[in-house]
Every structure is written in structure tokens, then in C-alpha cells.
């Protein structure tokens, strides 16, 4: 039986109505920098809302705005070098092996970057001096609100990324007739032009060249302003609104991306069609439809730990003072905020949440904003099934199926193996080769870990038709390990070689054979595929091949400090505080270590956490 996550047990047992204000992130001042802005998204479109009275900044993203274009980063030279690399590792010459991998396993392409469209800037003359300021993100309805006064006039802004109408909507109001005047202009780092077209302000741009790969993505962003009583003027570079009481801005964006091999879409027609459809509805209807769709997912889980005076403070003060122990409901807010972010960045038919969800204000985000699949992407989706958001898992499932197509060539050309492989990073274009230096990138387990999400989703749904659909991808990952695993000359176990324990090594080199996390992942891939093959009716001979290989995998070992060993040899350093505790994969997210059936291993895993500064995996 699948081990239940403690968080799931809490959410199942504890139910109740949390006060509305406790499910808001709120502040008494505007955002001063990007990380203080409030994120909204409908999976495809993202917006960060700063809430500045004099100049509102709406930083915009579309999930398929990436640099470069379709490409492969496989290195066929790796196949010839592979036997020598393995021999060096088995001889203990790991640094020499790492040098060869750096030379013979990599290409200049380390993955393409996720990129911003830019920002829409709303300038409000005379709003530099204001009072009664308040802004919030209500994660019960996925709407951000900004309120303030200038003199005796009260102003309000509501922003949401509509799940049902596929546009971002900004509603601006004043409580005095005709008191609302502003201009709207673009600011973008993309190669772009701005123009007026059919009373819309258009930004037409393209992604950037990256690592020698020319840009393939074309993006169009459209803004349309609708006012009940004011004057709206669209010029070649801006929209001017004068003497209005209520204004609604509709922001639509789209690209030419069809799939990771096809960029033949019409970005202009797509953006126009989204906008045209949204304008057929009233603002109230669009807002109501948005809330209904969102709450259908969000409201499936209620979680309550009680409120206190501390829960009435601004959110950043609650975070600062959480260590005082009198604000348990902040844990509720953070739990639900995590669910909010997953809902907002991963919906059926779209791309999975990348390293920053869908929110990024740069052409070169940290780590390019790619899919880091040696921990981060998987962590994004840990809440998907256990917090009752199964449909948010579907974009990841689709990416795994696509990687299982793209990664077959990588497995064949680089390692001479059947099945498919992806290393520690991938991108919109489903690149599968080694990314970055060998110390970080020589990790052929990214696809295998992702494939476990296919099985995880089946465990929660029991849907055998779904299992038949994803079985080829799951089996392809197991097929790679059946070919890639090699007998260790000393231990006689079957091990992955070369590989590493993510981003970490016991010395100057991270390159190794059969580290504990690899063995645990190989166990999951092989055993879960074996279970799946029996369910879908695969032949018994294949199931036996999997069973035979499982029995030859290295067991988990306990070292000299009564710790779970990270490597085959007992090389762990009790002073090590590396942020990855990868060998605890077997404890979580896998279920290979249990305090009930494996108490000694469980205690060793606890000891590993103690001397790693009590940090969790990743």
C-alpha cells in the first residue's frame, strides 16, 4: 500500500472554514522589487502585480516564450568514450573520468531559457502622494486587489488571469465620476516592435538567440481598454485613458508554439481570438467563470490550525515572526499558497511548471528557468495527487511522454541503449543530453525520476486506461536501465555508471558508480514497471527480466556514523552540509524506507539528516 504523506493525513482529518483574511497575502505598501510583487496565472499566462499607485507594473509571461528553438544536445562521441570512463571509475580514477566526460559527453547547448514578454506600465499622474494603502492576493479566488486614496478619491484595482477566458483582466475604478486618467505603455527586453492595430496596443516580439540556437518563438501581446464613460485613445506606442470612472483592460498573449518540434502557429490570430471571445462576455461574467473554475480545484481541501492575533499582521511580518510560535495559521496559508501556485502554473493542455512556475522577469532567469529534473521539477508536483489536484499533473505527464520520444535518440546515440534517457535538465524543446559540466550534468536519471510520476498518478486514480496510455514511457525508462546498468567489478552488483549523487561528490569529482539515490531510482523504475506490465498484460518473460535485475541492485547500506550511506563506499562526512540529501529519496518521495518495516534503515536516514543540518531532500 502506498505510504500516506503526513500532510495528506492532516488535510483529510482537519476540515473547517478558515477566515477569509487568513487566506490572503496582504501588505500596506507597494512592491519595491519583483519578488515582492503578487503572482497570478492561469497556467498559460502569468502576471506579477506590483501595486504602485503612481506607476503600476504588470510583468507578463506566456508559458511558451523561450529562447532558441528546436534542437538536440546529444553528444554521439560519448558512446566511444563510455568504456574508458567506466574503467577509470572502477579503478578509482574519478577525476580523470570527469575530465573525459566534460570533453566527450557534452555539447555547447545547455538548454534554452524561459523568457519574459516584458511589462505593461500604467502611469497615473498625480498619484505620487496617496493614503490608506492596501494590496492583497486572495488565494480563495485568485484575484489581486490594490486600494488607496488620493485626496478624497478612493481608487481600486482588481487583477486576475482568467482560467476560462485565457486573458489577463485589470479592472480599475474610482469612487468619484471621471477621476480616473492614466496611460499604458510596454517595456520589454525582447527584440520587439509596438504598434496600434484595431484599437489595440500590440507588442510583437521574438525569443532570443541562445548558445548559438536562433530564436524560433514569435509572441504577440495585445491590450484593449474598455471604459464606461471616459475617453480611450490608442496611439502607436501607448493607450491614454482620460476622465473615466471604470476601465477594464484586457491583456491577451500567444505564440507560434505548437509542440516541441513545431512552431508553425499563428501568434497574432491566437491572441486576437482569445481577446475577441473574452469581450463577448460582461466583466462580471468573466470574473464569475474564473472564480468558479479555480475554486473547483482549490476548494477540495480545507485545513485549519486555529487563528490568533498574529494572523492579522501583514504577511511579511508574519513570516518574520513565525519563529515565535504563535501563528500556526501561517502554515495553513503557506500550504494553500503552494496549492494556489500549482493550480496557477499547471493546467491540462499546457506546459508543466518550470523552475519559476510561469513567473519570470528576465531573458536569463536563474538557471535559465528551465526544468531542473534532479529535484526541482519533481518537487513542484509533490502536492499534485496528495492535495487533490490530480489534473495539474497532466502537463508533467505530457512532458514525460514527449521526453520518452526525444530521449530515445539520446539513449541510443550516447550509450547504445534501448529505451530513453534524460539527464538533470530539460527545456521547452525537450533536450535530453548532458547539461552544464560533468560535475552537475552527468546524471542519467532525470527521465527515470519523472517517470515515477506516471506511476504515482495511477496509484491515486486506479485508471487502467490511463496506465496503458503511459506504459510505453514507463517501460522505455526501465528498458534503458536494463541496458545501462553494468556489473561492478568489486561488489558484483549492477550499478549505474557513470553517474553522480546530484551536484555532490565525496571529493573533487562527483562522478561515481552506483550511488544510493541511483540504486533507489533504478529500484523504483524496474519494480513499478514490473507491476505495471502485469496490470496491462505485458508478457511474463519481460516481467522476469525486470525481477532478475531488481535482485542484482545494491542494497542500501549503513555506514560508520550509523548513517545511510550516500555512496557504495562509506565516504560520508559528518561535517558535510550540502543542500542535497539525495540518498533520502528512498525515504521520500519514494517509500523504500519505513519506520515500521525498516526501522534500522529509518534510523540511519534520520542520522543522515542530523549531520546535514536537518535539511530535507533538495
Amino acid at each position: 500500500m502506498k505510504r500516506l504523506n503526513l500532510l495528506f493525513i492532516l488535510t483529510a482529518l482537519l476540515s473547517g472554514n478558515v477566515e477569509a483574511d487568513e487566506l490572503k497575502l496582504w501588505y500596506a505598501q507597494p512592491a519595491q522589487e519583483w519578488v515582492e510583487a503578487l503572482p497570478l496565472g492561469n497556467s498559460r499566462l502569468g502576471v506579477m502585480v506590483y501595486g504602485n499607485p503612481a506607476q503600476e507594473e504588470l510583468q507578463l509571461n506566456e508559458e511558451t516564450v523561450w529562447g532558441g528553438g528546436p534542437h538536440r544536445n546529444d553528444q554521439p562521441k560519448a558512446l566511444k568514450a563510455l568504456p574508458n570512463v567506466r574503467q577509470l571509475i572502477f579503478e578509482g580514477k574519478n577525476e580523470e573520468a570527469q575530465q573525459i566526460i566534460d570533453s566527450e559527453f557534452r555539447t555547447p547547448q545547455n538548454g534554452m531559457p524561459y523568457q519574459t514578454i516584458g511589462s505593461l506600465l500604467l502611469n497615473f499622474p498625480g498619484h505620487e502622494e496617496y493614503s490608506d494603502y492596501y494590496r492583497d492576493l486572495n488565494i480563495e479566488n485568485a484575484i489581486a486587489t490594490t486600494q488607496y486614496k488620493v485626496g478624497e478619491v478612493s481608487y481600486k484595482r482588481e487583477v486576475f488571469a482568467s482560467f476560462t477566458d485565457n486573458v489577463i483582466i485589470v479592472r480599475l475604478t474610482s469612487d468619484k465620476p471621471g477621476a480616473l486618467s492614466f496611460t499604458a505603455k510596454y517595456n520589454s527586453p525582447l527584440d520587439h516592435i509596438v504598434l496600434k492595430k484595431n484599437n489595440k496596443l500590440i507588442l510583437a516580439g521574438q525569443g532570443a538567440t541562445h548558445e548559438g540556437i536562433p530564436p524560433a518563438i514569435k509572441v504577440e501581446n495585445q491590450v484593449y481598454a474598455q471604459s464606461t464613460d471616459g475617453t480611450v485613445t490608442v496611439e502607436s506606442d501607448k493607450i491614454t485613458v482620460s476622465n473615466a470612472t471604470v476601465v477594464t483592460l484586457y491583456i491577451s498573449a500567444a505564440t507560434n508554439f505548437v509542440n516541441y518540434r513545431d512552431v508553425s502557429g499563428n501568434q497574432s490570430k491566437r491572441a486576437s481570438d482569445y481577446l475577441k471571445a473574452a469581450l463577448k462576455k460582461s466583466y462580471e461574467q468573466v470574473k464569475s467563470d474564473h472564480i468558479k473554475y479555480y475554486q473547483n480545484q482549490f476548494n477540495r481541501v480545507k485545513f485549519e490550525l486555529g487563528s490568533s492575533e498574529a494572523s492579522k499582521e501583514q504577511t511579511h511580518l508574519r513570516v518574520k515572526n513565525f519563529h515565535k510560535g504563535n501563528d500556526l495559521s501561517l502554515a495553513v496559508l503557506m500550504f494553500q499558497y503552494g496549492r494556489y501556485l500549482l493550480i496557477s502554473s499547471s493546467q491540462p493542455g499546457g506546459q508543466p511548471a518550470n523552475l519559476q512556475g510561469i513567473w519570470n522577469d528576465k531573458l536569463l532567469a536563474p538557471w535559465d528557468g528551465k526544468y531542473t529534473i534532479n529535484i526541482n521539477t519533481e518537487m513542484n508536483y509533490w502536492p499534485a495527487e496528495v492535495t487533490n489536484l490530480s489534473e495539474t499533473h497532466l502537463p508533467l505527464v505530457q512532458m514525460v511522454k514527449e521526453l520518452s520520444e526525444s530521449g530515445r535518440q539520446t539513449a541510443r546515440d550516447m550509450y547504445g541503449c534501448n529505451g530513453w534517457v534524460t539527464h538533470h535538465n530539460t527545456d521547452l524543446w525537450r533536450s535530453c543530453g548532458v547539461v552544464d559540466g560533468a560535475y552537475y550534468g552527468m546524471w542519467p536519471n532525470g527521465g527515470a525520476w519523472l517517470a515515477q510520476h506516471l506511476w504515482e498518478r495511477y496509484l491515486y486514480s486506479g485508471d487502467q486506461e490511463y496506465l496503458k496510455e503511459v506504459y510505453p514511457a514507463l517501460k522505455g525508462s526501465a528498458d534503458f536501465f536494463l541496458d545501462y546498468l553494468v556489473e561492478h567489478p568489486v561488489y558484483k552488483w549492477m550499478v549505474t555508471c557513470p553517474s553522480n549523487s546530484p551536484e555532490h561528490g565525496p571529493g573533487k569529482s562527483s562522478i561515481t558508480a552506483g550511488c544510493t539515490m541511483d540504486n533507489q531510482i533504478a529500484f523504483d523504475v524496474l519494480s513499478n514497471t514490473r507491476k505495471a506490465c502485469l496490470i496491462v498484460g505485458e508478457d511474463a518473460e519481460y516481467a522476469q527480466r525486470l525481477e532478475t535485475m531488481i535482485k542484482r541492485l545494491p542494497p542500501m547500506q549503513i555506514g560508520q556514523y550509523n548513517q545511510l550511506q550516500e555512496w557504495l563506499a562509506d565516504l560520508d562526512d559528518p561535517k558535510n552540509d550540502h543542500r542535497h540529501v539525495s540518498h533520502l529519496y528512498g525515504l521520500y518521495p519514494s517509500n523504500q524506507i519505513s519506520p515500521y518495516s525498516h526501522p534500522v534503515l529509518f534510523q540511519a536516514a534520520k542520522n543522515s539528516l542530523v549531520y546535514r543540518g536537518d535539511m530535507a531532500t533538495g
Side-chain angles (χ1 to χ4, degrees):
M1 182 176 178
K2 179 69 178 177
R3 174 180 48 79
L4 292 178
N5 184 292
L6 175 60
L7 205 51
F8 174 76
I9 296 172
L10 283 172
T11 56
L13 296 179
L14 299 174
S15 63
N17 295 317
V18 180
E19 293 182 16
D21 285 351
E22 293 183 6
L23 290 182
K24 291 181 180 179
L25 284 71
W26 77 272
Y27 308 88
Q29 60 284 319
Q32 299 300 312
E33 53 184 323
W34 185 80
V35 293
E36 296 176 356
L38 297 173
L40 297 162
N42 64 3
S43 178
R44 193 179 69 83
L45 300 176
V47 56
M48 296 287 283
V49 183
Y50 282 67
N52 191 306
Q55 184 183 75
E56 176 66 273
E57 180 171 0
L58 304 168
Q59 185 268 309
L60 305 171
N61 288 105
E62 200 277 350
E63 64 177 356
T64 59
V65 178
W66 287 67
H71 70 286
R72 299 200 64 87
N73 66 339
D74 311 324
Q75 179 51 272
K77 292 192 299 181
L79 183 58
K80 184 178 180 180
L82 181 59
N84 186 29
V85 167
R86 283 177 165 167
Q87 184 63 34
L88 289 170
I89 293 170
F90 291 144
E91 292 175 357
K93 300 175 181 177
N94 300 54
E95 291 182 43
E96 292 182 41
Q98 183 166 301
Q99 291 172 2
I100 293 175
I101 293 168
D102 270 324
S103 171
E104 304 297 309
F105 282 60
R106 298 177 58 204
T107 72
Q109 282 73 49
N110 294 291
M112 300 297 110
Y114 179 56
Q115 301 187 318
T116 181
I117 294 174
S119 294
L120 185 68
L121 304 177
L122 310 181
N123 291 290
F124 298 83
H127 288 212
E128 292 80 10
E129 299 294 329
Y130 54 86
S131 62
D132 299 346
Y133 183 89
Y134 170 89
R135 68 181 174 110
D136 72 30
L137 170 61
N138 186 337
I139 62 173
E140 286 194 301
N141 61 17
I143 295 175
T145 302
T146 302
Q147 299 178 84
Y148 61 93
K149 292 180 70 173
V150 176
E152 297 301 316
V153 182
S154 296
Y155 293 91
K156 182 178 181 180
R157 305 170 190 166
E158 283 188 332
V159 187
F160 60 93
S162 170
F163 285 94
T164 47
D165 289 283
N166 242 320
V167 293
I168 294 167
I169 295 185
V170 185
R171 181 78 154 186
L172 305 107
T173 60
S174 67
D175 69 348
K176 178 182 177 183
L180 190 57
S181 297
F182 65 92
T183 60
K185 299 186 71 171
Y186 288 114
N187 180 35
S188 173
L190 293 175
D191 182 4
H192 72 283
I193 60 171
V194 176
L195 63 151
K196 170 189 174 182
K197 184 178 180 181
N198 298 328
N199 291 320
K200 298 180 290 188
L201 191 64
I202 307 291
L203 181 149
Q206 65 178 18
T209 297
H210 188 71
E211 296 179 338
I213 304 298
I217 289 296
K218 297 178 181 179
V219 59
E220 182 160 307
N221 195 96
Q222 304 182 358
V223 180
Y224 178 79
Q226 189 178 75
S227 176
T228 56
D229 57 354
T231 301
V232 177
T233 304
V234 184
E235 302 175 53
S236 61
D237 66 339
K238 65 182 176 182
I239 297 175
T240 301
V241 177
S242 303
N243 305 319
T245 306
V246 179
V247 178
T248 307
L249 298 179
Y250 294 81
I251 304 171
S252 180
T255 76
N256 59 333
F257 180 87
V258 178
N259 59 53
Y260 72 100
R261 294 173 292 196
D262 184 353
V263 288
S264 64
N266 186 325
Q267 67 279 3
S268 181
K269 184 178 186 304
R270 287 174 168 177
S272 296
D273 287 349
Y274 290 135
L275 185 56
K276 183 179 179 180
L279 287 170
K280 291 180 179 179
K281 296 182 179 181
S282 68
Y283 170 77
E284 289 74 17
Q285 187 63 55
V286 172
K287 180 179 176 181
S288 175
D289 290 348
H290 159 77
I291 293 173
K292 183 178 179 180
Y293 180 100
Y294 171 75
Q295 290 185 341
N296 178 54
Q297 294 179 26
F298 183 78
N299 286 350
R300 293 172 190 165
V301 169
K302 297 290 185 182
F303 182 26
E304 184 178 8
L305 292 176
S307 60
S308 65
E309 286 299 311
S311 64
K312 299 176 183 179
E313 294 282 353
Q314 295 179 64
T315 304
H316 66 289
L317 297 177
R318 295 179 69 184
V319 173
K320 179 181 178 180
N321 296 323
F322 184 67
H323 69 283
K324 296 179 181 179
N326 59 355
D327 188 7
L328 289 178
S329 62
L330 181 61
V332 175
L333 177 62
M334 296 306 293
F335 166 70
Q336 294 286 28
Y337 185 48
R339 296 180 71 244
Y340 163 83
L341 292 173
L342 185 57
I343 295 169
S344 301
S345 59
S346 188
Q347 289 293 310
Q351 297 298 313
N354 64 56
L355 197 58
Q356 296 188 187
I358 52 171
W359 301 279
N360 166 42
D361 64 335
K362 297 178 173 61
L363 292 185
L364 285 175
W367 296 279
D368 293 341
K370 299 192 293 278
Y371 298 100
T372 304
I373 55 178
N374 70 0
I375 180 63
N376 302 91
T377 301
E378 292 86 354
M379 287 178 73
N380 282 348
Y381 285 89
W382 286 351
E385 302 297 336
V386 78
T387 73
N388 208 0
L389 296 174
S390 185
E391 58 268 73
T392 67
H393 226 159
L394 290 173
L396 186 69
V397 169
Q398 180 61 30
M399 184 172 81
V400 177
K401 290 194 289 186
E402 292 171 354
L403 288 169
S404 74
E405 301 166 355
S406 180
R408 286 189 178 277
Q409 182 175 333
T410 311
R412 181 182 67 248
D413 290 356
M414 291 188 66
Y415 304 112
C417 293
N418 290 308
W420 64 279
V421 64
T422 306
H423 294 78
H424 97 293
N425 244 275
T426 190
D427 56 20
L428 181 72
W429 312 111
R430 307 310 186 234
S431 59
C432 293
V434 174
V435 168
D436 301 325
Y439 190 94
Y440 305 99
M442 187 58 249
W443 194 70
N445 300 286
W449 191 350
L450 288 176
Q452 301 321 296
H453 284 256
L454 307 180
W455 178 249
E456 179 87 356
R457 191 167 192 272
Y458 169 73
L459 291 180
Y460 277 86
S461 69
D463 185 343
Q464 293 191 17
E465 290 303 311
Y466 157 79
L467 186 60
K468 290 177 182 177
E469 174 194 335
V470 300
Y471 178 71
L474 189 61
K475 179 179 182 296
S477 185
D479 287 344
F480 174 77
F481 277 84
L482 288 174
D483 286 350
Y484 187 71
L485 289 165
V486 61
E487 184 177 83
H488 196 291
V490 176
Y491 300 99
K492 304 303 179 183
W493 293 318
M494 298 296 286
V495 297
T496 53
C497 182
S499 186
N500 64 47
S501 191
E503 305 182 27
H504 187 215
K508 294 181 179 179
S509 170
S510 72
I511 303 303
T512 189
C515 67
T516 298
M517 186 189 200
D518 280 19
N519 306 330
Q520 294 166 339
I521 288 178
F523 176 86
D524 272 353
V525 169
L526 298 171
S527 59
N528 292 339
T529 301
R530 179 181 177 277
K531 296 170 191 172
C533 85
L534 296 173
I535 294 169
V536 304
E538 180 73 67
D539 64 270
E541 182 182 350
Y542 182 68
Q544 186 57 53
R545 284 185 64 202
L546 294 169
E547 180 67 22
T548 299
M549 185 63 79
I550 291 168
K551 291 178 179 178
R552 296 201 63 193
L553 294 174
M556 286 179 275
Q557 301 180 88
I558 298 175
Q560 60 184 311
Y561 303 107
N562 195 27
Q563 89 287 1
L564 185 67
Q565 287 182 199
E566 186 164 1
W567 295 277
L568 287 181
D570 190 0
L571 301 174
D572 298 279
D573 178 359
K575 297 180 180 179
N576 186 294
D577 60 357
H578 192 268
R579 67 185 183 278
H580 285 255
V581 194
S582 300
H583 51 307
L584 297 193
Y585 167 93
L587 179 66
Y588 188 87
S590 188
N591 60 350
Q592 298 171 38
I593 301 173
S594 164
Y596 306 106
S597 54
H598 313 101
V600 178
L601 282 175
F602 183 77
Q603 182 62 45
K606 286 177 61 179
N607 291 340
S608 295
L609 277 177
V610 169
Y611 77 72
R612 283 286 182 90
D614 211 22
M615 295 181 68
T617 303

